[in-house]
Amino acid sequence: MTDRRAAWRDRLYVIIFGHQTPAGKRFDVVLIWSILASVFAVILDSVRSINAQYGDLLYVAEWGFTLLFTVEYVLRLLSARKPSRYARSFFGIIDLFAILPTYLSLLIPGSQYFLVIRVLRVLRVFRVLKLVEYLGEADVLMGALRESRRKITVFLIAVLALAVILGSLMYIVEGHTHGFTSIPRSIYWTIVTLTTVGYGDISPQTTLGQTVASAIMMLGYAIIAIPTGIVTVELSKVRGGGGLERGRGTAEGPPPPPPARRQCPDCGLLGHDPDAAHCKWCGEEL
Amino acid sequence: MTDRRAAWRDRLYVIIFGHQTPAGKRFDVVLIWSILASVFAVILDSVRSINAQYGDLLYVAEWGFTLLFTVEYVLRLLSARKPSRYARSFFGIIDLFAILPTYLSLLIPGSQYFLVIRVLRVLRVFRVLKLVEYLGEADVLMGALRESRRKITVFLIAVLALAVILGSLMYIVEGHTHGFTSIPRSIYWTIVTLTTVGYGDISPQTTLGQTVASAIMMLGYAIIAIPTGIVTVELSKVRGGGGLERGRGTAEGPPPPPPARRQCPDCGLLGHDPDAAHCKWCGEEL
Amino acid sequence: MTDRRAAWRDRLYVIIFGHQTPAGKRFDVVLIWSILASVFAVILDSVRSINAQYGDLLYVAEWGFTLLFTVEYVLRLLSARKPSRYARSFFGIIDLFAILPTYLSLLIPGSQYFLVIRVLRVLRVFRVLKLVEYLGEADVLMGALRESRRKITVFLIAVLALAVILGSLMYIVEGHTHGFTSIPRSIYWTIVTLTTVGYGDISPQTTLGQTVASAIMMLGYAIIAIPTGIVTVELSKVRGGGGLERGRGTAEGPPPPPPARRQCPDCGLLGHDPDAAHCKWCGEEL
Amino acid sequence: MTDRRAAWRDRLYVIIFGHQTPAGKRFDVVLIWSILASVFAVILDSVRSINAQYGDLLYVAEWGFTLLFTVEYVLRLLSARKPSRYARSFFGIIDLFAILPTYLSLLIPGSQYFLVIRVLRVLRVFRVLKLVEYLGEADVLMGALRESRRKITVFLIAVLALAVILGSLMYIVEGHTHGFTSIPRSIYWTIVTLTTVGYGDISPQTTLGQTVASAIMMLGYAIIAIPTGIVTVELSKVRGGGGLERGRGTAEGPPPPPPARRQCPDCGLLGHDPDAAHCKWCGEEL
């Protein structure tokens, strides 16, 4: 590789991956508006009346955006310091999935609607706007969810088992004639009821069915408290650990120093694990 | 300006802006009942049967209230110590918006229904009734919401991105024939489902669609816990900081003195920021 | 009054108001089953098919129960130590309201359905079963709600003002043709949506209406967190104060002695205010 | 009993009840897949179109699974160290109920749908996969629910009493013509509304009915906070007591030693009560 090519690659890298230089910022702003415009085009294209009138225009726009994003993806691969790491990173995969559906739609009609996955690319906005604060908040939320993962898994398994049993019970009670035409459909109804969504497309008609349904609703009312309680306790724990709002200085000695919050030099992400050697978002070395 | 005019202005100020004198109290009570009556008139006017019978009477009443509030607005402007500050204050803007729709309805039919914005004027009742306690409570709630602002923003952006992707998925799964006629409509359905509102105007009919919908409901069930957790933790923090219910005296030294809660001499509002020079509600100097 | 009559009154008092003697316990058990049976009779009587077949029997049963409870009410008045205090107590008023509707139904047809207020009489069961523990729990719940009263009032006023404004907005957006036939009806729809009930009897049809509705749902999703946060924080505070689960012994000195939980000698109610001279449930002197 | 039979029994015990040996693990994995397959067969059989085509096959499969599970149940009884304790244990009862409905369906048609109770057998998966961590989490959840039991009972009784009274009120307000055809049906509607399920199969049509319904919804909105608050506080207490996340070392002396978390030598369950002599899941001695 000649020096000239290496210099080109470095310049591209600064523009495409960097956010500090004016050129890098302009690139990011144009990119995000292109993403939003392309998602908007896909959504509009699905409305029949708009499709009838502007279908051809939107078809052209879709191919235009796809070619643009394909070029961008190739440039990212070319300029990335370690192309294989970029290709396997969170954003690398999203970037690929954001262009594939258009090409697939040549083979499988209808698959172009999967293009809305492009909306995930907009998450880059957090990096661009240097919303370090916001990333920190997302970090706290994700931390609380990660801690609650096991409790919520147990909870969801229990709710699903409950839905299978109660759904079968309602199938026996209400029978074929009132919309409960099969056990899978009854299970669907039970989940609609337990989660308090309540479409009303299926609803019990017999007195016994309504009594059982009332009991299921009261149950749903009571168990909706459980995930809320789990997340609240975890969030208050994450806060207590991270922000030291409470407990500071209650012990004899001074409070322990807060864990060093390492920040990625490239994308500004905070909250890396202590043993992380690379940024988990952009792969930059820490 | 002659002394006489200044004396008049001061007397008007005491009646219109003050709440201590008997005249000021009477003015406030009359004002609030007028506001409630005018909002009630607008609401009644929208009922077709009432409009058919009492339409003319309500039309006259609407103009009567509007002229009354216009005179009041002009008097407020005339008597306020710094008219431009009143005009730009929260209540100054509301007072203007509360009279504009009637005049606009001469140009744009239908805009008179915006008059219900008058209901916001009723918030003055907190000042009139000297519900200092209630203002303090509203203060605590607003403080908790202000602190949660960033976390709730991250949460809402994530929910919206999820709704776009899941809505498109359901559009592909269910197709045109079962009410999911376009992606925007599918996104609307997804939000109706995720928030557990569940109108049932659109509901999945295919087995695959009902399975995906069940997963979306379980998801909505799990993530409804997140804003609740955020607000609860912030509320418990605000309480901890403001009311010192817990933590008082747990350290070696005495607890730090509570922050001076400055009270507005005019409207009695508590909880001003330490650097505030004027009451944030009524603009009175502190 | 002769001694004999006083002795009779005392004996009646022990049976009717007391729960310690075998006779008093038997009286209470019979009473509670009578109350449940009478409420059940009123509910059954409203079912058309049952009314057609057993209407006369249920009519007789209703008068039987009413006469029974009338005799009981008169005996309570006669045997109570201070009849006027009993008549004005919580249970005294409920006892009166539990017999009035039957007599009123002679004058106003249909008022007999108010007899279900009798179900409140069943709350006596807590006293009878000496569920002191349960009363303590109810006490904690009521305490948390009492403390949250002001915050929840502010919250409900804000939600109502919001419902009026958003309801009017939807009335303008959707118009007469899609079920939003008047502002009161639109306000009803807004409350149905904000509270995530979502009947679907009225639902937006236009794209703009569905967009606004989605925003209202997201808002409802966010603000449902507020009352939960309020009650959770109050409950954790009540627990902290009453049960001393946490904080015990964190200060220098020993923990302060728990506030004396005075117990009513008659009904066993705990948690009286420090300045209470009489039990707030049964009026017994403390 | 000869030595040979005793040896056989021990070998069976290790395979059927144990999870450590390769043979025991294989048995468990086969068992769990059989259970899932049998539940899946029952659910599929209820779909009319599948029943029409594969009904005979599924009927054979059901009898096959039932005979298999019958043999397994008999083997468990034969090999268990104390057969009567196994028969009365949680899983012993479930194992019996998982085979009974097929035999009952010979007498009572339709009862085969109760076979879905087999899904409860899948809870064994927690033991098999040695998900000790998950069991600990379920333990924390169950502990919080057990502690909240009394408060939730008081809450549910109060909600039911409220539903009876509000349901009767709506019956009087809306009358026979708008779907509120009887008090039981009105109570069903009230529970649907209070729990924010909101099917919309019955909805108020009159202005007064919609006003009362709005008040009921606001009430439901406010009281949904109560179970959430209860569970959250209990969960935070269980965490505080069990995990000592907070409060550790805040007092003068050292923190009390954590309660010994005894682990079952057979199934690995943690969190046994201090006075437990046997594992509450598998009955193994501790």
Side-chain angles (χ1 to χ4, degrees):
Chain A
M1 191 193 295
T2 64
D3 272 9
R4 209 166 171 190
R5 277 187 62 190
W8 259 104
R9 224 187 63 174
D10 277 3
R11 214 178 141 187
L12 259 176
Y13 180 84
V14 166
I15 293 174
I16 295 180
F17 285 93
H19 317 298
Q20 278 87 354
T21 62
K25 272 187 186 163
R26 263 198 307 275
F27 177 84
D28 287 331
V29 169
V30 168
L31 180 63
I32 280 166
W33 284 108
S34 307
I35 295 166
L36 287 176
S38 71
V39 170
F40 202 65
V42 173
I43 290 178
L44 281 183
D45 192 41
S46 75
V47 182
R48 202 164 279 192
S49 61
I50 292 174
N51 180 279
Q53 207 169 350
Y54 303 105
D56 294 342
L57 185 70
L58 289 168
Y59 187 75
V60 171
E62 189 188 307
W63 274 102
F65 282 122
T66 302
L67 293 177
L68 194 76
F69 294 154
T70 309
V71 170
E72 182 217 340
Y73 183 68
V74 171
L75 287 181
R76 278 185 191 270
L77 274 180
L78 288 180
S79 68
R81 278 162 206 174
K82 296 186 180 173
S84 66
R85 199 203 295 143
Y86 162 71
R88 287 195 313 265
S89 72
F90 175 71
F91 277 116
I93 292 166
I94 294 290
D95 289 351
L96 184 60
F97 279 18
I99 51 176
L100 275 187
T102 312
Y103 297 113
L104 278 176
S105 70
L106 293 178
L107 303 172
I108 311 158
S111 56
Q112 75 271 19
Y113 296 123
F114 284 109
L115 284 170
V116 291
I117 211 164
R118 280 178 181 162
V119 87
L120 285 181
R121 297 194 73 199
V122 172
L123 291 177
R124 278 174 207 272
V125 81
F126 284 123
R127 292 201 344 219
V128 173
L129 299 179
K130 287 255 166 263
L131 292 176
V132 174
E133 287 276 11
Y134 282 84
L135 277 179
E137 300 291 351
D139 228 52
V140 168
L141 286 182
M142 292 310 290
L145 285 183
R146 209 175 315 122
E147 286 299 312
S148 319
R149 203 183 44 223
R150 279 204 303 259
K151 273 204 215 66
I152 285 183
T153 304
V154 168
F155 173 74
L156 286 183
I157 289 175
V159 168
L160 275 178
L162 208 65
V164 169
I165 293 173
L166 293 175
S168 306
L169 182 64
M170 283 302 286
Y171 173 69
I172 298 165
V173 167
E174 284 282 325
H176 281 271
T177 45
H178 301 119
F180 295 79
T181 51
S182 67
I183 290 184
R185 207 167 149 81
S186 284
I187 293 172
Y188 162 74
W189 173 86
T190 310
I191 292 174
V192 167
T193 300
L194 266 183
T195 56
T196 78
V197 170
Y199 288 130
D201 51 349
I202 316 167
S203 63
Q205 301 299 323
T206 64
T207 304
L208 181 56
Q210 291 180 346
T211 309
V212 175
S214 298
I216 294 175
M217 283 170 225
M218 300 296 280
L219 195 67
Y221 206 45
I223 64 181
I224 205 172
I226 296 174
T228 307
I230 295 168
V231 173
T232 304
V233 170
E234 286 304 333
L235 262 180
S236 95
K237 194 180 132 200
V238 169
R239 294 198 65 88
L244 289 170
E245 278 89 12
R246 61 174 67 128
R248 188 203 291 271
T250 53
E252 254 67 76
R261 284 171 71 77
R262 293 193 297 164
Q263 185 169 4
C264 171
D266 184 27
C267 70
L269 180 71
L270 281 172
H272 295 283
D273 294 334
D275 58 336
H278 292 278
C279 172
K280 59 188 174 187
W281 272 59
C282 65
E284 184 69 22
E285 274 188 54
L286 292 173
Chain B
M1 194 193 289
T2 64
D3 272 10
R4 209 167 170 186
R5 278 187 62 192
W8 259 102
R9 226 187 62 173
D10 278 4
R11 214 178 141 186
L12 258 176
Y13 179 85
V14 166
I15 293 174
I16 295 180
F17 285 93
H19 317 297
Q20 278 89 353
T21 62
K25 273 186 187 166
R26 263 199 307 275
F27 176 84
D28 287 328
V29 169
V30 169
L31 179 62
I32 280 167
W33 284 108
S34 306
I35 294 166
L36 287 176
S38 73
V39 169
F40 202 65
V42 173
I43 289 178
L44 281 184
D45 192 40
S46 75
V47 182
R48 204 165 276 190
S49 60
I50 293 174
N51 179 279
Q53 207 168 351
Y54 304 103
D56 294 341
L57 186 69
L58 289 169
Y59 186 76
V60 169
E62 188 189 308
W63 274 102
F65 282 121
T66 302
L67 293 177
L68 195 76
F69 294 153
T70 309
V71 169
E72 183 218 341
Y73 183 69
V74 170
L75 287 181
R76 279 186 190 268
L77 275 180
L78 287 179
S79 69
R81 278 163 206 174
K82 294 185 181 174
S84 66
R85 199 204 293 143
Y86 162 69
R88 287 194 313 264
S89 72
F90 175 71
F91 277 118
I93 292 167
I94 294 291
D95 288 352
L96 184 60
F97 279 17
I99 51 177
L100 275 187
T102 312
Y103 297 113
L104 278 176
S105 71
L106 293 178
L107 303 172
I108 312 159
S111 57
Q112 74 272 18
Y113 295 121
F114 284 109
L115 283 170
V116 289
I117 211 163
R118 277 175 184 165
V119 85
L120 284 181
R121 297 193 74 199
V122 172
L123 291 177
R124 277 173 208 273
V125 80
F126 284 123
R127 291 197 350 214
V128 173
L129 299 179
K130 286 252 164 267
L131 293 176
V132 174
E133 287 276 11
Y134 282 82
L135 277 179
E137 300 291 351
D139 228 51
V140 168
L141 286 182
M142 292 310 291
L145 285 182
R146 211 176 311 123
E147 287 299 311
S148 320
R149 205 183 42 222
R150 279 203 302 258
K151 271 203 216 66
I152 286 183
T153 304
V154 168
F155 173 74
L156 286 183
I157 288 175
V159 168
L160 275 177
L162 207 66
V164 168
I165 292 172
L166 293 174
S168 306
L169 182 65
M170 283 302 286
Y171 173 68
I172 298 165
V173 166
E174 284 282 326
H176 280 270
T177 45
H178 301 120
F180 294 78
T181 51
S182 68
I183 290 185
R185 208 167 149 81
S186 286
I187 293 172
Y188 161 73
W189 173 86
T190 310
I191 292 175
V192 168
T193 300
L194 267 183
T195 55
T196 77
V197 170
Y199 288 129
D201 49 351
I202 315 169
S203 61
Q205 302 299 324
T206 64
T207 306
L208 181 57
Q210 291 180 347
T211 310
V212 176
S214 299
I216 294 176
M217 282 169 226
M218 300 295 281
L219 195 69
Y221 207 44
I223 63 180
I224 206 172
I226 297 174
T228 307
I230 295 168
V231 172
T232 305
V233 170
E234 287 303 332
L235 263 179
S236 94
K237 193 180 132 202
V238 169
R239 293 198 66 88
L244 289 170
E245 278 90 9
R246 61 173 65 128
R248 190 204 288 272
T250 51
E252 255 63 79
R261 285 172 69 77
R262 293 192 298 162
Q263 186 170 6
C264 170
D266 183 26
C267 71
L269 179 71
L270 281 171
H272 295 285
D273 297 333
D275 57 337
H278 292 277
C279 172
K280 60 188 173 186
W281 273 60
C282 66
E284 184 71 21
E285 275 188 52
L286 293 171
Chain C
M1 194 193 290
T2 64
D3 271 8
R4 206 165 173 191
R5 277 188 61 193
W8 258 102
R9 227 187 60 172
D10 278 1
R11 212 175 144 191
L12 257 177
Y13 180 84
V14 166
I15 293 174
I16 295 181
F17 284 95
H19 318 297
Q20 278 88 352
T21 63
K25 272 188 187 163
R26 262 198 307 276
F27 176 84
D28 286 328
V29 169
V30 168
L31 179 63
I32 280 166
W33 284 110
S34 308
I35 294 167
L36 286 177
S38 72
V39 170
F40 202 65
V42 173
I43 289 178
L44 282 183
D45 192 42
S46 75
V47 182
R48 205 165 278 189
S49 60
I50 294 174
N51 179 278
Q53 207 168 352
Y54 304 104
D56 293 343
L57 186 70
L58 289 169
Y59 187 76
V60 169
E62 188 188 309
W63 274 101
F65 283 121
T66 302
L67 293 177
L68 195 76
F69 294 153
T70 308
V71 169
E72 182 218 339
Y73 183 68
V74 170
L75 287 180
R76 279 187 190 266
L77 275 180
L78 288 179
S79 69
R81 276 162 208 174
K82 294 185 180 173
S84 66
R85 198 204 295 142
Y86 162 69
R88 286 195 314 263
S89 73
F90 175 71
F91 277 117
I93 293 167
I94 295 291
D95 289 351
L96 183 60
F97 279 18
I99 50 176
L100 274 188
T102 313
Y103 298 112
L104 278 175
S105 70
L106 293 179
L107 304 172
I108 312 159
S111 56
Q112 75 272 17
Y113 295 121
F114 285 109
L115 283 170
V116 290
I117 210 162
R118 278 175 183 165
V119 85
L120 285 181
R121 296 193 74 197
V122 172
L123 291 178
R124 277 173 208 274
V125 80
F126 284 123
R127 292 198 348 215
V128 173
L129 300 178
K130 286 256 166 263
L131 293 176
V132 174
E133 286 276 10
Y134 281 83
L135 276 179
E137 299 291 349
D139 228 52
V140 168
L141 286 182
M142 293 310 291
L145 285 183
R146 209 176 313 122
E147 287 299 311
S148 319
R149 204 183 44 220
R150 278 204 302 258
K151 271 203 217 64
I152 286 183
T153 304
V154 167
F155 173 73
L156 286 183
I157 288 176
V159 168
L160 275 179
L162 209 64
V164 168
I165 291 172
L166 292 175
S168 306
L169 182 64
M170 283 302 285
Y171 173 69
I172 298 165
V173 167
E174 284 282 325
H176 281 273
T177 46
H178 302 120
F180 294 79
T181 50
S182 66
I183 291 185
R185 208 164 149 82
S186 286
I187 293 173
Y188 161 72
W189 173 86
T190 309
I191 291 175
V192 167
T193 300
L194 267 183
T195 55
T196 78
V197 170
Y199 288 129
D201 50 349
I202 315 169
S203 61
Q205 302 299 325
T206 64
T207 306
L208 181 57
Q210 291 181 347
T211 311
V212 175
S214 298
I216 294 175
M217 282 168 226
M218 301 295 281
L219 194 70
Y221 207 44
I223 64 180
I224 206 171
I226 297 174
T228 307
I230 295 169
V231 172
T232 305
V233 170
E234 287 304 333
L235 264 178
S236 95
K237 193 179 131 201
V238 169
R239 293 199 66 88
L244 288 169
E245 277 91 8
R246 64 173 65 126
R248 190 204 289 270
T250 52
E252 255 65 79
R261 284 172 70 78
R262 294 192 297 165
Q263 186 170 3
C264 171
D266 183 27
C267 70
L269 179 71
L270 282 170
H272 294 285
D273 296 333
D275 56 338
H278 293 278
C279 172
K280 59 190 170 184
W281 272 58
C282 66
E284 184 71 21
E285 272 188 55
L286 293 174
Chain D
M1 194 193 292
T2 65
D3 269 8
R4 207 166 174 188
R5 277 188 62 193
W8 259 105
R9 225 188 61 173
D10 278 1
R11 210 174 146 190
L12 259 176
Y13 180 84
V14 166
I15 292 174
I16 295 181
F17 285 94
H19 317 298
Q20 276 88 354
T21 63
K25 272 187 187 165
R26 263 199 306 277
F27 176 84
D28 287 328
V29 169
V30 168
L31 179 63
I32 281 168
W33 284 109
S34 309
I35 294 166
L36 286 176
S38 73
V39 169
F40 202 64
V42 173
I43 289 178
L44 281 183
D45 191 42
S46 75
V47 181
R48 204 164 279 190
S49 61
I50 293 174
N51 180 279
Q53 206 169 352
Y54 303 104
D56 294 342
L57 185 71
L58 289 168
Y59 187 76
V60 170
E62 188 188 309
W63 274 102
F65 283 122
T66 302
L67 292 176
L68 195 76
F69 295 153
T70 308
V71 170
E72 183 218 338
Y73 183 68
V74 170
L75 287 180
R76 279 186 189 268
L77 275 180
L78 288 179
S79 69
R81 279 163 206 173
K82 296 186 179 170
S84 66
R85 201 205 291 143
Y86 162 70
R88 286 195 314 263
S89 73
F90 174 71
F91 277 117
I93 293 167
I94 295 289
D95 289 351
L96 183 61
F97 279 17
I99 50 178
L100 275 188
T102 312
Y103 298 110
L104 277 176
S105 70
L106 293 177
L107 303 173
I108 311 158
S111 56
Q112 75 272 18
Y113 296 123
F114 284 109
L115 284 171
V116 291
I117 210 161
R118 280 177 182 165
V119 85
L120 284 181
R121 296 193 74 200
V122 172
L123 291 177
R124 279 174 204 272
V125 80
F126 285 123
R127 290 198 348 215
V128 173
L129 299 179
K130 287 256 166 262
L131 293 176
V132 174
E133 287 276 9
Y134 282 84
L135 277 179
E137 300 291 349
D139 228 51
V140 167
L141 285 182
M142 293 310 290
L145 286 183
R146 209 176 314 121
E147 287 299 312
S148 320
R149 204 183 43 222
R150 278 204 303 258
K151 272 202 214 67
I152 286 182
T153 305
V154 167
F155 173 73
L156 287 182
I157 289 176
V159 168
L160 276 178
L162 208 65
V164 169
I165 291 173
L166 292 175
S168 306
L169 183 64
M170 283 303 286
Y171 173 68
I172 298 165
V173 166
E174 284 282 323
H176 281 273
T177 46
H178 302 120
F180 294 80
T181 51
S182 67
I183 289 184
R185 207 166 150 80
S186 285
I187 293 172
Y188 162 73
W189 172 87
T190 308
I191 291 175
V192 168
T193 299
L194 266 184
T195 55
T196 78
V197 170
Y199 288 130
D201 51 349
I202 316 168
S203 62
Q205 303 299 324
T206 63
T207 305
L208 181 57
Q210 291 181 347
T211 309
V212 174
S214 298
I216 294 175
M217 283 169 224
M218 300 296 282
L219 196 69
Y221 205 45
I223 64 181
I224 206 171
I226 296 174
T228 307
I230 295 168
V231 173
T232 304
V233 169
E234 286 304 334
L235 264 179
S236 95
K237 193 180 132 201
V238 169
R239 293 198 65 87
L244 288 170
E245 277 90 10
R246 62 174 67 126
R248 188 203 289 271
T250 52
E252 254 66 74
R261 283 173 69 76
R262 294 191 297 165
Q263 185 168 6
C264 171
D266 183 26
C267 71
L269 180 71
L270 282 171
H272 295 285
D273 296 335
D275 56 338
H278 292 278
C279 172
K280 58 188 175 188
W281 272 60
C282 65
E284 184 70 21
E285 273 188 54
L286 292 174

